[in-house]
Amino acid sequence: MITLENLSKSFGSTLAVDSLSFEVAAGKVTGFLGPNGAGKTTSMRMLLGLDAPSGGRALINGVSYGQLAAPLRTVGALLEPRTGHRGQRADSHLCGLARSNSIPVSRVRAVLEEVGLAEAAKRRIGTFSLGMRQRLGIAAALLGDPEVLIFDEPVNGLDADGVAWIRGLMRAKAASGATVFVSSHLMSEMQSTADHLVVIGRGKLLADESMDNVLAASAQNSVIVASPQAGELATALQRAGYTVVAASEGRLKVIGASPEVVGGIAHTMGVRVNELGGRQASLEQAYTELTAQSLDYVPTRIGESS
Amino acid sequence: MKAKSTLARARLSQRRTGEPAVGESAQLPGARPGFGAAIAFELTKLWAVRSTRITLAVMVLGQLSMAWLLSFSAKASGDNGYEAVMPAPFIALVCLNLAQLFIATVAALSITSEYSNGTIISSLQAVPVRTRLLGAKAAVLLMLGFVSGVALVGAGTLIAAPVAAQYGRFTIGELLLALVGGGVYLGLLAVMMLGIGVLLRSTAGAISSAFVLLFGLPQILPLFALDWLQALVSYLPTTAGQVLGTGALEPYGTGTAALILVIWAAVLLGAGMWVFHRRDA
């Protein structure tokens, strides 16, 4: 389990991470979303003890990373694809890491096979493609069979097969009880991988919700309703607090409503309805709304408003 | 069987959340890693990199050639009636003037290359306690420098003794002094360079600093008309190293020489440690 308590980081006068507090639970894939520069990598670096927080704490299983007795056996992290000395062989890079944490060296072979680099074990890291380096980074993360996985943009540089593979890996690890915390800017990737989402913008928490709640709360969830008495219906819906847009002649688009609500209002008014249908937002849309709001520094707790 | 291990893992994480002070995973066998594991890690990294092995090989070649040249020159000068008597181990010790650059380079690269290729991130993930990570590096470099110094003086003597012949005669005492002095000097020099490397985080910067410290200052300081600036030359690492290895009584004894080298190493490593501890990786 990962816990952030009022975690902050300032670089000079810029507040990169602003009092972030959330928990990442075990047994799930938690997506960490935010635009570039939102503070995702900085938060992860503080979690791994690479950067010192300006305020607050970042804990793994209740302790800071530096207090873990054998960190690689508790936490596997992929932060930089650019890791390992260019002149060093892939297997020897992993051997060094294994020795540093008293991990049996036999694990090196096992993880190289798991990530599909067994053939390249004796090659120098400098000869690797970006995708191979990414796989090597993942092999290093898996080396200590850790119960917490922290991946920063893991699909960078991977081909379609690689993307599907890492998605499967994260799902499998979470299913076997691991805590999986993964950052990404690829929303579509998160939609098919994550169970839970933490969204930040400009260093502030925007949402900490299950994937279902994030999607349900999007303002882009709308209802299309067609009625011969569209005008009356629109007035009633507006009185109920919904934004109504004329979609075409006799058709209305009701933002943020569900078909049940619109149907119910029409029914009590005795208004005839010719068409009624809901449109669910994609994660992409939900995310765009959230981060657009972050521009004027208004954190929104999604799910509470609906 | 898979389900069983899943269950065990779930139980394990339950127990751990109950005892938040314990952060160690029990999924893999293995002792709690300590300083020894950190040293094994540093040794693996240092030796696995091809540039280390190449640099050290060139260093040995340089030492042997220089020892041959100096002792050949001593023999020729002696035969021509010039005063050219110098114990062979001391000839080998003078040759460390060249070899020290290679040790300094390996030592500086052991940290600056980690910054330039991003390995520092995975190193700190593996050994997050920074004093332990840097301490292990210092221990490994101290050993590497010491072993190199002993080996280079020994090998240099093996070449110089027969080539310089009667002009290079030496006692066992002189040989032992040169062996130990050369080892201690290169060992502590490697630690100094590690300190400079952490402070500067740049390979070019660290190696230029080595040139200034080892060659520049001993040449430049005497040019100033200030007595204290000239006196400073005696306290530079190169001077102390030569005194330590030859047992010269000028300008101070071997004990003082050793102390001067230890202070240089302690101050530079200490400064590096302090900065490394405070700075974001």
Side-chain angles (χ1 to χ4, degrees):
Chain A
M1 187 170 78
I2 295 170
T3 315
L4 268 61
E5 293 173 3
N6 295 316
L7 190 69
S8 298
K9 178 73 178 178
S10 51
F11 296 108
S13 58
T14 330
L15 203 52
V17 176
D18 188 359
S19 209
L20 271 188
S21 296
F22 60 85
E23 282 192 352
V24 180
K28 287 184 200 172
V29 175
T30 301
F32 193 27
L33 296 181
N36 286 337
K40 302 185 298 288
T41 301
T42 306
S43 302
M44 285 183 161
R45 287 174 62 91
M46 287 192 279
L47 193 51
L48 297 172
L50 295 168
D51 288 359
S54 309
R57 302 194 297 170
L59 306 175
I60 292 165
N61 291 343
V63 297
S64 70
Y65 190 86
Q67 288 170 289
L68 294 170
L72 296 186
R73 284 169 19 208
T74 308
V75 182
L78 172 76
L79 229 58
E80 283 237 20
R82 197 175 59 100
T83 192
H85 194 291
R86 293 177 57 80
Q88 199 174 1
R89 286 181 355 201
D91 57 353
S92 108
H93 170 62
L94 295 177
C95 272
L97 291 174
R99 288 186 182 126
S100 71
N101 275 245
S102 305
I103 295 165
V105 174
S106 58
R107 283 286 298 162
V108 170
R109 187 93 217 145
V111 293
L112 280 172
E113 267 164 24
E114 190 171 354
V115 304
L117 283 179
E119 302 289 304
K122 306 279 179 208
R123 273 174 59 182
R124 286 180 206 290
I125 297 171
T127 68
F128 278 20
S129 66
L130 180 61
M132 289 170 83
R133 288 195 130 195
Q134 197 76 359
R135 284 170 186 266
L136 180 63
I138 292 162
L142 298 177
L143 193 60
D145 193 15
E147 59 185 291
V148 177
L149 287 172
I150 297 172
F151 290 158
D152 191 13
E153 304 276 358
V155 301
N156 272 359
L158 291 181
D159 52 20
D161 278 353
V163 171
W165 165 72
I166 189 138
R167 182 189 305 165
L169 176 82
M170 289 192 288
R171 299 286 342 152
K173 291 287 171 187
S176 67
T179 305
V180 182
F181 189 43
V182 52
S183 81
S184 181
H185 62 272
L186 294 176
M187 299 311 123
S188 49
E189 181 54 32
M190 281 293 122
Q191 194 157 10
S192 51
T193 312
D195 306 297
H196 195 93
L197 288 180
V198 171
V199 185
I200 64 170
R202 295 208 177 178
K204 282 180 186 269
L205 186 68
L206 299 177
D208 176 6
E209 291 291 335
S210 71
M211 177 69 78
D212 296 342
N213 281 356
V214 171
L215 290 176
S218 169
Q220 293 297 317
N221 289 336
S222 56
V223 171
I224 298 291
V225 58
S227 167
Q229 294 144 283
E232 281 171 53
L233 187 57
T235 317
L237 285 165
Q238 275 164 345
R239 211 175 295 129
Y242 293 103
T243 306
V244 182
V245 184
S248 61
E249 186 62 37
R251 288 169 91 233
L252 303 171
K253 186 178 179 190
V254 191
I255 311 289
S258 66
E260 292 82 2
V261 171
V262 176
I265 290 174
H267 180 73
T268 43
M269 288 173 68
V271 166
R272 177 187 167 132
V273 168
N274 293 336
E275 180 193 337
L276 181 65
R279 281 191 186 170
Q280 190 169 55
S282 69
L283 184 58
E284 192 80 48
Q285 287 167 326
Y287 169 78
T288 309
E289 287 166 43
L290 271 171
T291 50
Q293 286 160 0
S294 86
L295 297 176
D296 43 16
Y297 291 101
V298 186
T300 311
R301 295 285 300 175
I302 307 179
E304 280 174 6
S305 57
S306 61
Chain B
M1 197 180 135
K2 182 72 195 161
K4 206 174 191 175
S5 77
T6 307
L7 202 72
R9 198 191 291 236
R11 260 207 305 274
L12 203 79
S13 59
Q14 253 170 24
R15 204 191 61 214
R16 249 192 309 278
T17 46
E19 302 167 275
V22 182
E24 191 172 359
S25 165
Q27 285 161 32
L28 279 172
R32 187 188 167 99
F35 195 62
I39 285 189
F41 180 36
E42 292 305 327
L43 267 177
T44 309
K45 275 190 289 184
L46 190 68
W47 201 244
V49 173
R50 189 168 47 173
S51 69
T52 306
R53 300 195 298 262
I54 294 173
T55 309
L56 294 181
V58 175
M59 172 180 80
V60 171
L61 274 179
Q63 172 78 2
L64 296 180
S65 336
M66 199 170 156
W68 183 83
L69 266 174
L70 277 188
S71 47
F72 184 80
S73 155
K75 173 79 161 68
S77 303
D79 285 345
N80 287 320
Y82 293 98
E83 181 68 38
V85 178
M86 191 185 207
F90 293 180
I91 293 179
L93 196 73
V94 170
C95 298
L96 292 190
N97 266 320
L98 177 68
Q100 64 182 355
L101 271 183
F102 296 92
I103 286 293
T105 304
V106 169
L109 274 174
S110 78
I111 183 75
T112 56
S113 75
E114 291 219 12
Y115 280 107
S116 62
N117 61 35
T119 315
I120 190 73
I121 302 290
S122 57
S123 294
L124 280 171
Q125 277 174 40
V127 185
V129 181
R130 297 183 180 201
T131 45
R132 184 186 295 169
L133 184 70
L134 206 57
K137 263 191 204 296
V140 165
L141 290 173
L142 185 68
M143 281 189 287
L144 174 77
F146 184 80
V147 171
S148 302
V150 171
L152 292 175
V153 170
T157 305
L158 282 179
I159 298 260
V163 175
Q166 72 270 31
Y167 306 105
R169 270 196 283 263
F170 59 94
T171 65
I172 291 296
E174 285 166 336
L175 175 63
L176 286 178
L177 194 64
L179 287 172
V180 174
V184 170
Y185 174 65
L186 285 193
L188 291 173
L189 176 68
V191 174
M192 291 174 216
M193 287 310 300
L194 174 65
I196 292 175
V198 186
L199 288 171
L200 298 181
R201 289 198 280 189
S202 133
T203 306
I207 291 175
S208 329
S209 307
F211 267 98
V212 171
L213 184 67
L214 301 175
F215 300 119
L217 290 181
Q219 308 259 332
I220 293 164
L221 290 183
L223 301 180
F224 291 93
L226 294 166
D227 285 348
W228 65 270
L229 261 182
Q230 296 190 358
L232 217 58
V233 177
S234 315
Y235 298 97
L236 289 174
T238 27
T239 317
Q242 292 296 334
V243 172
L244 185 66
T246 56
L249 296 172
E250 285 291 324
Y252 38 69
T254 45
T256 314
L259 185 67
I260 289 168
L261 289 173
V262 168
I263 290 173
W264 271 100
V267 168
L268 285 172
L269 181 65
M273 199 77 100
W274 185 74
V275 167
F276 192 52
H277 187 74
R278 290 183 49 97
R279 192 169 51 194
D280 287 342

